[in-house]
Structure formats: structure tokens, C-alpha cells
């Protein structure tokens, strides 16, 4: 319990808006990319295998983000992902964004396992759930 | 009290993902664009005037969205924007997304008025607040 | 011969980069969107019907753009699309971008008709070709 | 003469379109990002220093790309950047995109050095030019 998956993004010119800071929408793309990385690298279930071969998906049920401080061109953004709640077919991630130890945003991102053929939710298979459980954050 | 600002988006090929539905990040861009339209068309304060001439901005404090049903290529998405809470320097919008009367998503999107020079929040000027007040949704 | 298809885009905050002008990549998205609009509105063959129902696509073979002047937040960009060359299975579009009559960019954009099932190019069907021909630009 | 700058991108879910392949616009973003990486890592002149501190930019004059084969979800795309032509104030890059040694696209991308204050082109300073010259491709 309590493992954290960490991944880094370089803040690029194309992420930034006329105010010179990251356009907030790009943070959601990075959160979603962190989830994609976690599935591939931590769970061993790549999005390619998931979507194309197994015809499964994890569509987003809800997501939200609090933006604490702006990010700037050239920042090295570290995203730290954990599981706030692991349901029968859903996963609610918590994702922190930091630059040099300074908190930039805090997101909650809930996805649910779905068959792309029936378009119905499905229970998360046991062999995947076992790999996910170490990332469930201890309750405070 | 209770006015709603409505704007439409055509769901394009480029909005959709390999599952054939709108990639959720694009909804946040549309919500943000609806806010931009509302400032220009309903309040008479365009983003060009705001950011470039007045050096003011409305950065996002927090945002969240519940995705009720997927959107598809070719859908005509109607976004309906109202104000859930009008603070001293902040505005919390509620934005509904619908296609042919069917609810697709429900977002909350909170912004705060800031000087781009001092990077400090500022009270919303009275002449703008007066134009905003009709959009404050009646409390249930 | 010589018809031009015209469509307009509002330059939004999210299109612009830290230099305050449109990030060039967004122009390619707009060119591609103009092609999508042309298929739906001028040819009567929407991307939804094309991709989902008929399992056809028009992938891009090559594209290029000359950027003449920058575009700014709030600009009303008019895209004018014509066909530079109509091949057996390919279409080479020329797309001009203008704001208030001032040229902003000039693009060439070549697509080819393909079956999404066989992944092979196909001749453009006669009933579509007949609707396309009026947009072929007269050779100078 | 003849050095090549190489950088890698993982093809993500968000890069792909309903046909399951990379939406072409994202390749231009990757080409532009490769140029950004090259400036920072090979020339030692980061976009942050360039744009924010020195008030210089390298806006795009023209760009074009030939798409040879599609890219798919999960591909490791290698971008190889060289200079096709080094002008007085302009740089024309050639960028190849490959996956596992298979060519995916070939781009030409021309930028020009500009002062963000005067909005005029400037000659490339000698100390930068000296670092760029090794990347000029030998003429065939």
C-alpha cells in the first residue's frame, strides 16, 4: 500500500498561453498521459493492448483539478500518481503536479473499465487489480 | 437573475480519439472557449481587450467535469453557461453540455480576476459585475 | 470551375502562444477543419458518414504552408478553399487564410481516398467527383 | 558537418484519431518540439532564455511534410533533425520521423530569427551560428 508512480514532463512552448503560463487544458492531457504511462509501465497493460487487442477502455467518469500555482516554459513538471479509491470497475486517481518540490496542481481523475464492444462497464480482472492495489493510498 | 448564455460547437474529427468519441480534454477547451465567448458577447469585454490592452486575466482556480454520455463525430454540442457563484474577485461558472437535448457533461469552472502586472487578484469592477449579475443562477 | 469554399474561425486565447500570436500548428488544424466543412457542406459527404458508415477516409499525403503574417487573439480568420489539382484518387487543396482582406497564410494540402478496411487508395466515385469539379481552380 | 540531432516521442492515445493513427497535426507539434529540444540541448539556448530573457523568437516562415506511412498508438517515434540550409537569419531544418527504422514522415521547417520587440528579422549571432554549423547536412 502507498506506492506512488512518478513521471516527468518538460513544459514546452506549445503548452503555454499568451500569459506565458501553461494553458490549463494541457494539464488534463498530462494527467491522462500519466495514467497511460502507469497502465503501461506499472501495471504492464499498455493502451495499445488494452484498446486495440482487448477492445477495452477506461473512459473518464469525472475529473477535476485545483490549480495552486502557474507553470512556466522550461519547467520540469513531476506528476505523482496514486489511487485514492479502487472500486469494483472504477479507479479514482489522485495526481499531484510539482516543479522542484513546489506544488502546482492537485487532480482527481476517475475512470471506469468498459468493453468497447458492449459499451458496458466491467469488473476489473483480478490479475490487474492485484497489480493496482499497491498504489492505493493509505487513508489519512 | 437566471439568464443562460448558449453557444454551439460542431464535434470535429480532430476532437475524437481512437474510440471514436470526443477526447475529454477537448471538453475543457470548449468550456474555456464558452467562457471566452461569454466575456466577449455577453459582458462586452473581449479577451483581446482584457489580456492585451488592460493587462488583466481570469486564470482558472479550479475546474471539474462529470462526463455523463460520450459525444460523437458530427454532434452539435450546445454549451449552456451560467454563474453558480459570483464572488468579490472570482466567478464560478456552471456549464452544461448537451446534444439534441441529451445531457453530455456538467462542468464547474472557477476563475479569478488578476492583474497580469502585479499577479495579484483584484475585485471585479462594478460596471462588469452589473453585466454579470443577470447570469447568476437562482439557488435551488 | 473556379468556385471557392469559404469558412471562418475566431482566433481564440487557446490558439495563441507566449508570443501572443497563433501557434502555427493550429493553422493546420484549421486547414483540416476547412476540408472537413467542405466535404460536409459543399460535397454533402460528412466525415461521420465517410468514416463511420462508409469506412472511407482521406488521409493526408503531404501538406505545407507559408506563413505570411501572424494572426492575433480576436482576429476573424477567413479560410478560402479551392482545388489546385483533382487526381484519380487524390485531391490537392489550396487554402488561403485572410483577416480583413490581409493574407496570413497559404497552404497546399493533398489527401487521397482510402478504404479504411483494405487500407488501399481508391478512385473517387463519379457522383462525388462531379460535385468537386466546380472547385477546381482555373490554371493561370 | 553532418551531425544529426535525435529525439524520441512515445505515440500516445491523445495523438491518435478515430482511424486509430496519429492525427497529422500532432506531427507538426512534434517537429516544432524537436526544434525546441535542439535549441536547448544541442545549441545551449533554451526557449525560456530565448523568448523570455532575450526577447528573441524563431517564428516559422514555412513548413511542409510528406507523410509516408501512418504511426500507431504505442509506437516509439524517433525524430532526426539536421539543417538543410543555414541562412543569414534563417534556418531550414529537415526532420525525419522513423519507427523501428521505418520512415514515417519527412518534413522541411524554416524559421527566422526575430526580435520580439522590433518584430524584425536579425542575423544569427556568430556564437550561435558556430554551434549550428555542425548540423548542416552535406549537400548530395
Amino acid at each position: 500500500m502507498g506506492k506512488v508512480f512518478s513521471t516527468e514532463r518538460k513544459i514546452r512552448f506549445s503548452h503555454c498561453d499568451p500569459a506565458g503560463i501553461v494553458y490549463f487544458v494541457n494539464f488534463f492531457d498530462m494527467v491522462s498521459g500519466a495514467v497511460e504511462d502507469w497502465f503501461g509501465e506499472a501495471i504492464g497493460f499498455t493502451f495499445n493492448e488494452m484498446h486495440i487487442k482487448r477492445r477495452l477502455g477506461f473512459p473518464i467518469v469525472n475529473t477535476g483539478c485545483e490549480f495552486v500555482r502557474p507553470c512556466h516554459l522550461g519547467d520540469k513538471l513531476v506528476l505523482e500518481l496514486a489511487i485514492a479509491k479502487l472500486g469494483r470497475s472504477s479507479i479514482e486517481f489522485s495526481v499531484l503536479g510539482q516543479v522542484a518540490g513546489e506544488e502546482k496542481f492537485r487532480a482527481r481523475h476517475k475512470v471506469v473499465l468498459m468493453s468497447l464492444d458492449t459499451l458496458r462497464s466491467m469488473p476489473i480482472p483480478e490479475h490487474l487489480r492485484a497489480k493496482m492495489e499497491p498504489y492505493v493510498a493509505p487513508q489519512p
Side-chain angles (χ1 to χ4, degrees), chain A:
Chain A
M1 293 285 173
K3 275 178 89 173
V4 168
F5 177 78
S6 192
T7 181
E8 196 183 285
R9 293 291 181 278
K10 176 181 170 180
I11 300 302
R12 297 181 166 285
F13 188 76
S14 62
H15 296 136
C16 297
D17 67 19
I21 61 173
V22 173
Y23 179 51
F24 82 105
V25 162
N26 292 316
F27 287 131
F28 285 104
D29 193 47
M30 293 177 202
V31 164
S32 193
V35 168
E36 182 174 358
D37 287 348
W38 176 80
F39 268 110
E41 297 168 26
I43 307 304
F45 191 35
T46 66
F47 265 30
N48 186 38
E49 190 186 341
M50 187 193 297
H51 288 89
I52 312 298
K53 295 187 192 156
R54 303 285 179 96
R55 301 279 305 146
L56 297 173
F58 274 96
I60 293 104
V61 176
N62 59 59
T63 190
C65 191
E66 190 164 348
F67 304 100
V68 182
R69 287 181 196 82
C71 275
H72 299 91
L73 184 54
D75 280 355
K76 302 279 181 204
L77 177 69
V78 176
L79 295 110
E80 295 192 333
L81 176 151
I83 296 179
K85 190 160 173 233
L86 183 58
R88 191 174 155 274
S89 50
S90 69
I91 314 171
E92 187 177 338
F93 297 101
S94 76
V95 182
L96 288 185
Q98 301 184 347
V99 174
E102 188 182 70
E103 193 183 23
K104 297 297 188 178
F105 67 80
R106 234 174 295 144
R108 284 290 179 116
H109 190 73
K110 185 177 179 182
V111 300
V112 64
L113 178 59
M114 204 178 77
S115 156
L116 297 180
D117 294 317
T118 67
L119 299 180
R120 293 184 175 233
S121 69
M122 297 173 39
I124 298 169
E126 268 314 311
H127 73 284
L128 291 178
R129 175 180 297 275
K131 289 184 188 158
M132 293 174 181
E133 274 167 351
Y135 293 91
V136 177
Q139 296 308 311

